[in-house]
Amino acid sequence: MRALTVVPQHADTAALTDLPDLRPDDGELLVEGIAVGICGTDREIVQGRYGWPPPGHDRLVLGHESLGRVRHAPPGGDFTAGDLVVGVVRRPDPVPCGACARGEFDMCRNGRYTERGIKELPGYGSELWTVETDYAVRLDPKLERVGMLMEPASVVAKAWEQVDRVGARSWYEPRTALVTGAGPIGLLAALLGVQRGLDVHVLDLADDGPKPAAVSALGATYHSRPVAEVTDQLHPDVVIEATGVGRVVVDAMGGTAAYGIVCLTGVSPAGRTIPVDAGATNRELVLENDVVVGSVNANLRHYAVAADALAAADPDWLAGLITRRVPLGRFAEALTARPDDIKVVLTLD
Ligand code: BGC
C-alpha cells in the first residue's frame, strides 16, 4: 500500500513509500483511507521543523486529520464494516501522568504523549490504516465528503470548552465573540460560536476569495481591518485566536471586554519578536479579571462534541471549506499552500 512519509527534522523528504499491507491487532479496526486534511503542522513537519518518527524508524507516515471507511472490525464490537470513521490523534503517555490516566491526554503533564502522524506514531496518510477501537470515532454517513474536518473541529470544541470552564469562575453570559484568522480552525470556531447563539465576528487579512463568503454564510460578520480597530468597536467577551501571529495575539489580549477570555490555538514558530507594552497588558488583565488560555489537541469528549457540531452544520457550507482535493500521487501540490486555500485534502481512495 502507498503512504505519504517524511524524515522528521529533515526538510523536503516527503515521498510516496510502498509499505507492507497492514493486519489489524486484536481490538483494532482495519480502515480504508478516504482522505487526510493537510494543516500547518504537516507543512512544518515537511519543512523539517517539527515531528518525530516512531522509535527505531527514520520515516514517519504523515497525516493526522483522518477519514476512512472500516474494512474489518472485531466481531461483536461497536463498529462494523462500512462505517465512516476518524482516528484520534493523541495517545496517553506511558507513565501515565494524572491527566492521561483520567483520559485527559490532551492535557498531558509530562510531554511523553504520542501523536499519530506527528510524534512517534504512524499517521493516517496511507491507503489502509489501523486504529484501536477505543480511539476511533464513528461519523454520520452524510459527512463522507467533509469528515476530515473532524480533527480540527475537535481542537475547536476543546477550545470552546476551555472558554466555558474559565468563564464558570463567575457570572458569565458572553454575547460577542471575535475569531482571529479565517483558516479551518478559525472558521470552525466561528461555526461553533454561531451554534452557541453568539454574535460572531471573524477577522482575517483576506479581503476577497472564499473566506468572507464562508463567514457571511454562517450569519457572522467578516472584518479585514487591524485587530485593535475591531476590538475597540466590539469589546468582545471571547476571542478565539487562530493566527498565532504575535501582534494579533497581543492586541487581542488588550482588546476584550472586562472578564474577557482569549483562547490561543495557533502554534507559532519561535524567534519572532515584537515590542510589547508589558505594563499596559498586565494592567488590563488584572483590572478586568481577563484570562488568556492556551489550548491544544482534544480528548474523546471533544471528538464527541465535534461530531455533533459537524452533523448539525450545513454539509454544503462544510464542503466549501475544502478548497482543493489532491490525489495522493500529486502530494507535493497539497503540501504547497496557495493564497486562496482554506483546507486542502489529500485523497487516498
Ligand atoms: C494537531 C493537534 C496536535 C498539535 C501538536 C496540531 O496540528 O491538530 O492534534 O496536538 O498539532 O502536535
Side-chain angles (χ1 to χ4, degrees):
M1 71 166 186
R2 294 180 309 160
L4 175 57
T5 68
V6 289
V7 182
Q9 312 291 339
H10 291 79
D12 302 324
T13 57
L16 278 191
T17 309
D18 248 315
L19 297 178
D21 274 355
L22 293 165
R23 294 174 66 87
D25 283 338
D26 286 350
E28 284 190 339
L29 305 175
L30 179 64
V31 180
E32 293 165 9
I34 295 175
V36 279
I38 302 292
C39 79
T41 300
D42 298 308
R43 294 198 173 111
E44 267 202 67
I45 296 173
V46 168
Q47 290 158 10
R49 293 191 279 122
Y50 195 63
W52 300 263
H57 292 77
D58 292 333
R59 302 192 78 87
L60 169 76
V61 177
L62 201 64
H64 59 278
E65 299 184 359
S66 61
L67 178 66
R69 190 171 294 291
V70 175
R71 179 186 282 186
H72 174 81
D78 291 340
F79 293 89
T80 48
D83 282 349
L84 197 62
V85 286
V86 304
V88 170
V89 175
R90 193 175 282 195
R91 299 292 179 277
D93 76 76
V95 177
C97 75
C100 285
R102 289 163 179 79
E104 301 210 318
F105 44 79
D106 56 313
M107 294 292 201
C108 180
R109 297 297 204 276
N110 62 22
R112 291 178 60 194
Y113 62 82
T114 51
E115 290 182 338
R116 299 281 303 249
I118 301 175
K119 188 169 183 273
E120 299 168 16
L121 290 176
Y124 297 111
S126 48
E127 289 169 316
L128 287 172
W129 40 268
T130 55
V131 65
E132 313 87 305
T133 51
D134 289 348
Y135 290 95
V137 181
R138 193 184 5 253
L139 284 190
D140 190 316
K142 76 174 185 225
L143 296 173
E144 176 161 17
R145 283 186 306 155
V146 295
M148 72 300 278
L149 296 174
M150 176 70 171
E151 196 275 341
S154 73
V155 165
V156 162
K158 171 176 173 182
W160 276 112
E161 182 193 79
Q162 302 313 298
V163 169
D164 287 343
R165 292 186 172 196
V166 172
R169 289 178 304 157
S170 175
W171 171 80
Y172 189 54
E173 281 179 14
R175 290 188 180 176
T176 308
L178 173 65
V179 176
T180 49
I185 294 286
L187 291 170
L188 290 168
L191 168 71
L192 269 71
V194 168
Q195 287 179 343
R196 291 159 161 253
L198 295 170
D199 174 22
V200 175
H201 296 254
V202 180
L203 179 144
D204 194 277
L205 288 176
D207 47 20
D208 58 9
K211 292 177 176 178
V215 170
S216 343
L218 273 182
T221 310
Y222 189 83
H223 303 266
S224 179
R225 289 188 284 146
V227 187
E229 258 181 46
V230 176
T231 54
D232 280 355
Q233 178 201 329
L234 296 175
H235 301 293
D237 302 303
V238 180
V239 178
I240 306 283
E241 205 302 301
T243 69
V245 174
R247 185 80 269 153
V248 178
V249 170
V250 172
D251 286 352
M253 283 162 58
T256 63
Y259 202 72
I261 301 172
V262 177
C263 182
L264 306 179
T265 67
V267 184
S268 42
R272 290 184 190 161
T273 57
I274 53 165
V276 173
D277 184 340
T281 305
N282 174 71
R283 184 187 163 97
E284 161 101 9
L285 295 183
V286 171
L287 291 181
E288 293 193 346
N289 291 292
D290 291 341
V291 173
V292 179
V293 57
S295 181
V296 71
N297 196 254
N299 65 40
L300 292 167
R301 185 173 70 242
H302 308 122
Y303 276 83
V305 173
D308 289 346
L310 292 188
D314 172 358
D316 291 333
W317 184 84
L318 293 171
L321 301 190
I322 299 165
T323 42
R324 284 196 287 144
R325 292 176 191 262
V326 180
L328 180 60
R330 302 213 316 256
F331 68 87
E333 288 171 37
L335 295 175
T336 310
R338 293 186 190 163
D340 264 359
D341 285 340
I342 299 179
K343 173 59 71 188
V344 178
V345 308
L346 203 53
T347 55
L348 302 168
D349 49 359

